[in-house]
Amino acid sequence: MASWYLGKIRYQKEDEAGSLKTINEVYLVDAVSYTESEARLYKQIVTGASDFSVMSISRMRLADLFAFEEGEQWFKAKVIYFSVDEKSGKEKKIINQMLVNADGIQQALDRINESMRNFLIPYETTDIVLTPILDVFPYTAEEDEQEIPANMRPLSEVKAERAEAEAVAE
């Protein structure tokens, strides 16, 4: 399950008149910790400015994220459904927050309904709110694959060479 962090960055940008303007932007990052989310923000963000700073990072609890090819804005939806507690037999209200990208509120609602059409329990979408999120960076396995610097070798090769050198020395 993904852990989402909301990162807010700030940088200075020169406008058409030549004066500096402070720009604030918000991004959503899938990471395992606050530290990793900050590192991923510095790696992913290209502002056109030479330097920017991460102003804050906060955890965002999401039950699901629905990403579509088209849709410029990100909407947060509150979805409620009821579940029956097996032990007590009482009906329990479950509230989930979901994120979807769309070009408007109606399209966001349609996309949530489309994404949840296989959901067996009846649900109700009670709130849809436009968020300031500009982009979402989900985790990809390719990020773990780091290139080995030219001056480094795998440990197995080094151990094999040492064993070979020790065998020759004896």
Side-chain angles (χ1 to χ4, degrees), residues 4-152:
W4 295 102
Y5 292 88
L6 204 58
K8 297 178 183 178
I9 68 165
R10 180 178 291 162
Y11 61 94
Q12 298 280 320
K13 184 177 182 180
E14 192 173 327
D15 62 6
E16 295 85 28
S19 61
L20 287 178
K21 184 177 178 183
T22 301
I23 307 291
N24 294 306
E25 296 179 348
V26 180
Y27 296 94
L28 190 66
V29 181
D30 178 12
V32 294
S33 67
Y34 289 92
T35 305
E36 183 192 3
S37 62
E38 182 178 12
R40 290 195 60 215
L41 278 171
Y42 278 106
K43 185 177 175 184
Q44 296 279 349
I45 304 299
V46 178
T47 61
S50 60
D51 60 336
F52 66 90
S53 57
V54 176
M55 299 309 294
S56 70
I57 296 175
S58 59
R59 185 110 194 264
M60 185 174 190
R61 297 204 182 275
L62 291 176
D64 220 333
L65 183 134
F66 305 118
F68 290 83
E69 290 289 321
E70 298 159 1
E72 292 294 316
Q73 300 170 315
W74 287 94
F75 293 88
K76 183 167 71 168
K78 182 178 179 181
V79 178
I80 298 174
Y81 62 92
F82 293 92
S83 175
V84 177
D85 188 2
E86 293 178 14
K87 293 180 182 176
S88 66
K90 292 183 180 178
E91 194 171 70
K92 190 166 92 173
K93 183 179 182 180
I94 298 173
I95 301 171
N96 284 325
Q97 302 291 331
M98 299 179 184
L99 201 67
V100 63
N101 65 321
D103 290 322
I105 290 178
Q106 184 60 49
Q107 186 181 41
L109 179 61
D110 293 342
R111 287 181 172 182
I112 288 170
N113 289 331
E114 176 187 331
S115 299
M116 294 189 62
R117 69 175 177 266
N118 295 331
F119 201 63
L120 299 175
I121 302 170
Y123 66 92
E124 181 180 349
T125 304
T126 60
D127 298 352
I128 297 180
V129 179
L130 177 63
T131 68
I133 297 170
L134 291 180
D135 207 352
V136 173
F137 301 115
Y139 172 79
T140 58
E142 292 143 15
E143 291 179 27
D144 281 345
E145 297 175 10
Q146 298 176 355
E147 289 186 33
I148 298 173
N151 65 335
M152 300 183 90

